[in-house]
Amino acid sequence: MIWGGISHQGKTELVTVQNRLNAARNCQEIILPIVVPYKQNGNADVFQQDNARCHTAGHTQHVLAENNINALDGLRDHQICRQ
């Protein structure tokens, strides 16, 4: 899987994720080293991710809250189809 983030101010580096991504790896490999510094540099006010379990897990939510990352819930499949 390839992970990347975009905003009006720019983009993050791309991350290649090997194997399944769980909440701990999501925080260690994406949230802490990439999302947090990206937000601290003033590049994004809100973070949005999909509803994958590693994104909605309590551990991920805790790490986001600890780092003052405002996160929107991801769109459900039926919401995407209506757009």
Side-chain angles (χ1 to χ4, degrees):
M1 174 183 84
I2 304 292
W3 182 94
I6 58 171
S7 73
H8 287 292
Q9 292 83 10
K11 61 185 185 223
T12 68
E13 63 184 90
L14 292 177
V15 178
T16 302
V17 178
Q18 301 295 327
N19 304 314
R20 284 188 85 137
L21 187 65
N22 62 25
R25 285 187 58 216
N26 181 43
C27 293
Q28 292 169 350
E29 297 175 23
I30 297 172
I31 303 296
L32 293 171
I34 299 169
V35 175
V36 170
Y38 189 77
K39 183 191 181 286
Q40 288 174 340
N41 287 333
N43 291 316
D45 293 326
V46 178
F47 179 61
Q48 182 174 357
Q49 50 193 357
D50 64 19
N51 289 309
R53 288 184 182 181
C54 63
H55 299 160
T56 61
H59 178 65
T60 299
Q61 298 304 310
H62 178 74
V63 169
L64 290 171
E66 271 187 335
N67 290 282
N68 298 314
I69 306 287
N70 298 321
L72 294 175
D73 292 334
L75 296 174
R76 307 269 189 243
D77 289 339
H78 69 276
Q79 291 172 312
I80 295 169
C81 291
R82 282 190 270 175
Q83 293 185 8

